[in-house]
PDB file of all heavy atoms in Angstrom:
ATOM      1  N   GLU A  14      73.573  78.081 162.900  1.00  0.00           N
ATOM      2  CA  GLU A  14      74.088  77.982 161.488  1.00  0.00           C
ATOM      3  C   GLU A  14      73.343  79.063 160.609  1.00  0.00           C
ATOM      4  O   GLU A  14      73.924  79.335 159.550  1.00  0.00           O
ATOM      5  CB  GLU A  14      73.938  76.652 160.915  1.00  0.00           C
ATOM      6  CG  GLU A  14      72.416  76.155 160.768  1.00  0.00           C
ATOM      7  CD  GLU A  14      71.955  75.454 162.060  1.00  0.00           C
ATOM      8  OE1 GLU A  14      72.677  75.555 163.085  1.00  0.00           O
ATOM      9  OE2 GLU A  14      70.797  74.976 161.959  1.00  0.00           O
ATOM     10  N   GLU A  15      72.347  79.496 161.115  1.00  0.00           N
ATOM     11  CA  GLU A  15      71.606  80.663 160.356  1.00  0.00           C
ATOM     12  C   GLU A  15      71.965  82.077 160.817  1.00  0.00           C
ATOM     13  O   GLU A  15      71.393  82.983 160.270  1.00  0.00           O
ATOM     14  CB  GLU A  15      70.052  80.490 160.485  1.00  0.00           C
ATOM     15  CG  GLU A  15      69.589  79.173 159.875  1.00  0.00           C
ATOM     16  CD  GLU A  15      68.055  79.067 159.827  1.00  0.00           C
ATOM     17  OE1 GLU A  15      67.418  79.970 160.293  1.00  0.00           O
ATOM     18  OE2 GLU A  15      67.576  78.018 159.422  1.00  0.00           O
ATOM     19  N   PHE A  16      72.917  82.157 161.773  1.00  0.00           N
ATOM     20  CA  PHE A  16      73.365  83.487 162.251  1.00  0.00           C
ATOM     21  C   PHE A  16      74.195  84.079 161.080  1.00  0.00           C
ATOM     22  O   PHE A  16      75.343  83.727 160.884  1.00  0.00           O
ATOM     23  CB  PHE A  16      74.077  83.322 163.482  1.00  0.00           C
ATOM     24  CG  PHE A  16      73.386  83.244 164.756  1.00  0.00           C
ATOM     25  CD1 PHE A  16      72.111  82.572 164.730  1.00  0.00           C
ATOM     26  CD2 PHE A  16      73.754  83.661 165.976  1.00  0.00           C
ATOM     27  CE1 PHE A  16      71.334  82.361 165.782  1.00  0.00           C
ATOM     28  CE2 PHE A  16      73.051  83.564 167.068  1.00  0.00           C
ATOM     29  CZ  PHE A  16      71.762  82.879 167.033  1.00  0.00           C
ATOM     30  N   THR A  17      73.634  85.163 160.468  1.00  0.00           N
ATOM     31  CA  THR A  17      74.353  85.785 159.282  1.00  0.00           C
ATOM     32  C   THR A  17      74.612  87.254 159.538  1.00  0.00           C
ATOM     33  O   THR A  17      75.476  87.870 158.889  1.00  0.00           O
ATOM     34  CB  THR A  17      73.633  85.565 158.001  1.00  0.00           C
ATOM     35  OG1 THR A  17      72.343  86.120 158.115  1.00  0.00           O
ATOM     36  CG2 THR A  17      73.559  84.062 157.688  1.00  0.00           C
ATOM     37  N   THR A  18      73.866  87.852 160.470  1.00  0.00           N
ATOM     38  CA  THR A  18      74.028  89.201 160.723  1.00  0.00           C
ATOM     39  C   THR A  18      74.209  89.529 162.239  1.00  0.00           C
ATOM     40  O   THR A  18      73.920  88.610 163.060  1.00  0.00           O
ATOM     41  CB  THR A  18      72.854  90.115 160.280  1.00  0.00           C
ATOM     42  OG1 THR A  18      71.670  89.825 161.141  1.00  0.00           O
ATOM     43  CG2 THR A  18      72.409  89.738 158.817  1.00  0.00           C
ATOM     44  N   VAL A  19      74.683  90.681 162.619  1.00  0.00           N
ATOM     45  CA  VAL A  19      74.842  91.003 164.022  1.00  0.00           C
ATOM     46  C   VAL A  19      73.598  90.977 164.775  1.00  0.00           C
ATOM     47  O   VAL A  19      73.562  90.769 165.978  1.00  0.00           O
ATOM     48  CB  VAL A  19      75.553  92.465 164.129  1.00  0.00           C
ATOM     49  CG1 VAL A  19      74.551  93.483 163.736  1.00  0.00           C
ATOM     50  CG2 VAL A  19      76.008  92.709 165.567  1.00  0.00           C
ATOM     51  N   TRP A  20      72.453  91.226 164.081  1.00  0.00           N
ATOM     52  CA  TRP A  20      71.139  91.176 164.871  1.00  0.00           C
ATOM     53  C   TRP A  20      70.792  89.839 165.362  1.00  0.00           C
ATOM     54  O   TRP A  20      70.111  89.676 166.375  1.00  0.00           O
ATOM     55  CB  TRP A  20      70.033  91.691 163.906  1.00  0.00           C
ATOM     56  CG  TRP A  20      70.336  93.103 163.393  1.00  0.00           C
ATOM     57  CD1 TRP A  20      70.626  93.519 162.212  1.00  0.00           C
ATOM     58  CD2 TRP A  20      70.314  94.304 164.200  1.00  0.00           C
ATOM     59  NE1 TRP A  20      70.844  94.898 162.126  1.00  0.00           N
ATOM     60  CE2 TRP A  20      70.644  95.352 163.442  1.00  0.00           C
ATOM     61  CE3 TRP A  20      70.041  94.517 165.618  1.00  0.00           C
ATOM     62  CZ2 TRP A  20      70.748  96.679 163.915  1.00  0.00           C
ATOM     63  CZ3 TRP A  20      70.140  95.779 166.108  1.00  0.00           C
ATOM     64  CH2 TRP A  20      70.467  96.849 165.214  1.00  0.00           C
ATOM     65  N   HIS A  21      71.265  88.719 164.614  1.00  0.00           N
ATOM     66  CA  HIS A  21      71.071  87.372 165.149  1.00  0.00           C
ATOM     67  C   HIS A  21      71.739  87.185 166.457  1.00  0.00           C
ATOM     68  O   HIS A  21      71.250  86.507 167.338  1.00  0.00           O
ATOM     69  CB  HIS A  21      71.664  86.407 164.124  1.00  0.00           C
ATOM     70  CG  HIS A  21      70.806  86.224 162.867  1.00  0.00           C
ATOM     71  ND1 HIS A  21      71.184  86.805 161.720  1.00  0.00           N
ATOM     72  CD2 HIS A  21      69.553  85.719 162.672  1.00  0.00           C
ATOM     73  CE1 HIS A  21      70.279  86.524 160.751  1.00  0.00           C
ATOM     74  NE2 HIS A  21      69.276  85.845 161.289  1.00  0.00           N
ATOM     75  N   TYR A  22      72.931  87.716 166.659  1.00  0.00           N
ATOM     76  CA  TYR A  22      73.661  87.655 167.876  1.00  0.00           C
ATOM     77  C   TYR A  22      73.055  88.503 169.036  1.00  0.00           C
ATOM     78  O   TYR A  22      73.135  88.212 170.220  1.00  0.00           O
ATOM     79  CB  TYR A  22      75.190  88.027 167.726  1.00  0.00           C
ATOM     80  CG  TYR A  22      75.885  87.068 166.824  1.00  0.00           C
ATOM     81  CD1 TYR A  22      75.969  87.370 165.406  1.00  0.00           C
ATOM     82  CD2 TYR A  22      76.346  85.829 167.257  1.00  0.00           C
ATOM     83  CE1 TYR A  22      76.596  86.469 164.537  1.00  0.00           C
ATOM     84  CE2 TYR A  22      76.969  85.038 166.304  1.00  0.00           C
ATOM     85  CZ  TYR A  22      77.072  85.325 165.027  1.00  0.00           C
ATOM     86  OH  TYR A  22      77.704  84.377 164.180  1.00  0.00           O
ATOM     87  N   PHE A  23      72.476  89.594 168.609  1.00  0.00           N
ATOM     88  CA  PHE A  23      71.808  90.479 169.695  1.00  0.00           C
ATOM     89  C   PHE A  23      70.531  89.843 170.322  1.00  0.00           C
ATOM     90  O   PHE A  23      70.156  90.191 171.374  1.00  0.00           O
ATOM     91  CB  PHE A  23      71.373  91.823 169.110  1.00  0.00           C
ATOM     92  CG  PHE A  23      72.563  92.802 169.062  1.00  0.00           C
ATOM     93  CD1 PHE A  23      72.871  93.487 168.001  1.00  0.00           C
ATOM     94  CD2 PHE A  23      73.213  93.024 170.252  1.00  0.00           C
ATOM     95  CE1 PHE A  23      73.863  94.400 167.871  1.00  0.00           C
ATOM     96  CE2 PHE A  23      74.279  94.021 170.221  1.00  0.00           C
ATOM     97  CZ  PHE A  23      74.550  94.662 169.033  1.00  0.00           C
ATOM     98  N   GLN A  24      70.092  88.785 169.718  1.00  0.00           N
ATOM     99  CA  GLN A  24      68.988  88.129 170.294  1.00  0.00           C
ATOM    100  C   GLN A  24      69.315  87.301 171.602  1.00  0.00           C
ATOM    101  O   GLN A  24      68.520  87.096 172.412  1.00  0.00           O
ATOM    102  CB  GLN A  24      68.184  87.226 169.347  1.00  0.00           C
ATOM    103  CG  GLN A  24      69.005  85.959 168.900  1.00  0.00           C
ATOM    104  CD  GLN A  24      68.259  85.184 167.863  1.00  0.00           C
ATOM    105  OE1 GLN A  24      67.113  84.621 168.257  1.00  0.00           O
ATOM    106  NE2 GLN A  24      68.844  84.915 166.723  1.00  0.00           N
ATOM    107  N   LEU A  25      70.634  86.990 171.670  1.00  0.00           N
ATOM    108  CA  LEU A  25      71.135  86.075 172.777  1.00  0.00           C
ATOM    109  C   LEU A  25      71.005  86.758 174.138  1.00  0.00           C
ATOM    110  O   LEU A  25      70.517  86.196 175.026  1.00  0.00           O
ATOM    111  CB  LEU A  25      72.503  85.519 172.410  1.00  0.00           C
ATOM    112  CG  LEU A  25      72.608  84.623 171.135  1.00  0.00           C
ATOM    113  CD1 LEU A  25      74.055  84.133 170.970  1.00  0.00           C
ATOM    114  CD2 LEU A  25      71.659  83.509 171.268  1.00  0.00           C
ATOM    115  N   PRO A  26      71.545  88.047 174.223  1.00  0.00           N
ATOM    116  CA  PRO A  26      71.363  88.650 175.506  1.00  0.00           C
ATOM    117  C   PRO A  26      69.918  88.962 175.857  1.00  0.00           C
ATOM    118  O   PRO A  26      69.589  88.966 177.061  1.00  0.00           O
ATOM    119  CB  PRO A  26      72.112  89.980 175.354  1.00  0.00           C
ATOM    120  CG  PRO A  26      72.362  90.182 173.886  1.00  0.00           C
ATOM    121  CD  PRO A  26      72.403  88.796 173.317  1.00  0.00           C
ATOM    122  N   VAL A  27      69.040  89.158 174.896  1.00  0.00           N
ATOM    123  CA  VAL A  27      67.686  89.299 175.109  1.00  0.00           C
ATOM    124  C   VAL A  27      67.093  88.037 175.759  1.00  0.00           C
ATOM    125  O   VAL A  27      66.268  88.065 176.658  1.00  0.00           O
ATOM    126  CB  VAL A  27      66.848  89.715 173.869  1.00  0.00           C
ATOM    127  CG1 VAL A  27      65.411  89.711 174.116  1.00  0.00           C
ATOM    128  CG2 VAL A  27      67.397  91.057 173.361  1.00  0.00           C
ATOM    129  N   TYR A  28      67.448  86.846 175.108  1.00  0.00           N
ATOM    130  CA  TYR A  28      66.995  85.544 175.668  1.00  0.00           C
ATOM    131  C   TYR A  28      67.474  85.453 177.119  1.00  0.00           C
ATOM    132  O   TYR A  28      66.728  85.021 177.955  1.00  0.00           O
ATOM    133  CB  TYR A  28      67.602  84.384 174.885  1.00  0.00           C
ATOM    134  CG  TYR A  28      66.791  84.032 173.580  1.00  0.00           C
ATOM    135  CD1 TYR A  28      67.491  84.056 172.294  1.00  0.00           C
ATOM    136  CD2 TYR A  28      65.438  83.746 173.647  1.00  0.00           C
ATOM    137  CE1 TYR A  28      66.788  83.735 171.166  1.00  0.00           C
ATOM    138  CE2 TYR A  28      64.755  83.413 172.462  1.00  0.00           C
ATOM    139  CZ  TYR A  28      65.314  83.391 171.285  1.00  0.00           C
ATOM    140  OH  TYR A  28      64.688  83.115 170.171  1.00  0.00           O
ATOM    141  N   ALA A  29      68.721  85.804 177.349  1.00  0.00           N
ATOM    142  CA  ALA A  29      69.292  85.645 178.717  1.00  0.00           C
ATOM    143  C   ALA A  29      68.582  86.579 179.707  1.00  0.00           C
ATOM    144  O   ALA A  29      68.315  86.055 180.776  1.00  0.00           O
ATOM    145  CB  ALA A  29      70.749  86.028 178.663  1.00  0.00           C
ATOM    146  N   ILE A  30      68.275  87.738 179.323  1.00  0.00           N
ATOM    147  CA  ILE A  30      67.521  88.753 180.244  1.00  0.00           C
ATOM    148  C   ILE A  30      66.207  88.168 180.649  1.00  0.00           C
ATOM    149  O   ILE A  30      65.858  88.148 181.760  1.00  0.00           O
ATOM    150  CB  ILE A  30      67.547  90.136 179.638  1.00  0.00           C
ATOM    151  CG1 ILE A  30      68.847  90.732 179.595  1.00  0.00           C
ATOM    152  CG2 ILE A  30      66.549  90.936 180.500  1.00  0.00           C
ATOM    153  CD1 ILE A  30      68.921  91.930 178.752  1.00  0.00           C
ATOM    154  N   VAL A  31      65.515  87.764 179.556  1.00  0.00           N
ATOM    155  CA  VAL A  31      64.127  87.201 179.848  1.00  0.00           C
ATOM    156  C   VAL A  31      64.186  86.037 180.640  1.00  0.00           C
ATOM    157  O   VAL A  31      63.393  85.816 181.598  1.00  0.00           O
ATOM    158  CB  VAL A  31      63.424  86.872 178.476  1.00  0.00           C
ATOM    159  CG1 VAL A  31      62.113  86.225 178.752  1.00  0.00           C
ATOM    160  CG2 VAL A  31      63.194  88.230 177.630  1.00  0.00           C
ATOM    161  N   LEU A  32      65.096  85.157 180.297  1.00  0.00           N
ATOM    162  CA  LEU A  32      65.249  83.953 181.174  1.00  0.00           C
ATOM    163  C   LEU A  32      65.508  84.107 182.651  1.00  0.00           C
ATOM    164  O   LEU A  32      64.857  83.487 183.529  1.00  0.00           O
ATOM    165  CB  LEU A  32      66.289  82.928 180.580  1.00  0.00           C
ATOM    166  CG  LEU A  32      66.325  81.526 181.161  1.00  0.00           C
ATOM    167  CD1 LEU A  32      65.021  80.829 181.030  1.00  0.00           C
ATOM    168  CD2 LEU A  32      67.370  80.810 180.368  1.00  0.00           C
ATOM    169  N   VAL A  33      66.454  85.049 182.961  1.00  0.00           N
ATOM    170  CA  VAL A  33      66.804  85.208 184.441  1.00  0.00           C
ATOM    171  C   VAL A  33      65.610  85.966 185.143  1.00  0.00           C
ATOM    172  O   VAL A  33      65.385  85.735 186.271  1.00  0.00           O
ATOM    173  CB  VAL A  33      68.106  86.001 184.551  1.00  0.00           C
ATOM    174  CG1 VAL A  33      69.317  85.285 184.068  1.00  0.00           C
ATOM    175  CG2 VAL A  33      68.018  87.410 183.864  1.00  0.00           C
ATOM    176  N   LEU A  34      64.846  86.816 184.382  1.00  0.00           N
ATOM    177  CA  LEU A  34      63.737  87.456 185.050  1.00  0.00           C
ATOM    178  C   LEU A  34      62.664  86.562 185.281  1.00  0.00           C
ATOM    179  O   LEU A  34      61.920  86.575 186.371  1.00  0.00           O
ATOM    180  CB  LEU A  34      63.278  88.641 184.070  1.00  0.00           C
ATOM    181  CG  LEU A  34      64.228  89.840 183.995  1.00  0.00           C
ATOM    182  CD1 LEU A  34      63.666  90.856 183.042  1.00  0.00           C
ATOM    183  CD2 LEU A  34      64.596  90.432 185.349  1.00  0.00           C
ATOM    184  N   VAL A  35      62.347  85.552 184.376  1.00  0.00           N
ATOM    185  CA  VAL A  35      61.305  84.651 184.574  1.00  0.00           C
ATOM    186  C   VAL A  35      61.696  83.587 185.675  1.00  0.00           C
ATOM    187  O   VAL A  35      60.916  83.352 186.581  1.00  0.00           O
ATOM    188  CB  VAL A  35      61.075  83.835 183.256  1.00  0.00           C
ATOM    189  CG1 VAL A  35      60.078  82.607 183.565  1.00  0.00           C
ATOM    190  CG2 VAL A  35      60.454  84.773 182.268  1.00  0.00           C
ATOM    191  N   LEU A  36      62.934  83.073 185.650  1.00  0.00           N
ATOM    192  CA  LEU A  36      63.315  82.114 186.643  1.00  0.00           C
ATOM    193  C   LEU A  36      63.523  82.714 188.019  1.00  0.00           C
ATOM    194  O   LEU A  36      63.494  82.062 189.023  1.00  0.00           O
ATOM    195  CB  LEU A  36      64.589  81.413 186.153  1.00  0.00           C
ATOM    196  CG  LEU A  36      64.527  80.547 184.894  1.00  0.00           C
ATOM    197  CD1 LEU A  36      65.888  79.929 184.585  1.00  0.00           C
ATOM    198  CD2 LEU A  36      63.382  79.464 185.116  1.00  0.00           C
ATOM    199  N   GLY A  37      63.754  83.980 188.122  1.00  0.00           N
ATOM    200  CA  GLY A  37      63.978  84.651 189.416  1.00  0.00           C
ATOM    201  C   GLY A  37      62.579  85.220 189.903  1.00  0.00           C
ATOM    202  O   GLY A  37      62.600  85.891 190.929  1.00  0.00           O
ATOM    203  N   SER A  38      61.551  84.907 189.258  1.00  0.00           N
ATOM    204  CA  SER A  38      60.245  85.496 189.573  1.00  0.00           C
ATOM    205  C   SER A  38      59.589  84.773 190.800  1.00  0.00           C
ATOM    206  O   SER A  38      60.010  83.610 191.023  1.00  0.00           O
ATOM    207  CB  SER A  38      59.272  85.438 188.374  1.00  0.00           C
ATOM    208  OG  SER A  38      58.973  84.081 188.024  1.00  0.00           O
TER     209      SER A  38
END
């Protein structure tokens, strides 16, 4: 609900990348 700019949405692929790299470690 606090997503107001495009930068808020850009954090989601970053979360996804970090998560797959950690879980695949």
Side-chain angles (χ1 to χ4, degrees):
E14 62 275 7
E15 296 185 1
F16 280 32
T17 56
T18 69
V19 68
W20 301 111
H21 287 107
Y22 295 96
F23 274 127
Q24 69 179 301
L25 298 181
V27 174
Y28 278 125
I30 291 170
V31 172
L32 187 55
V33 296
L34 292 179
V35 170
L36 295 181
S38 65

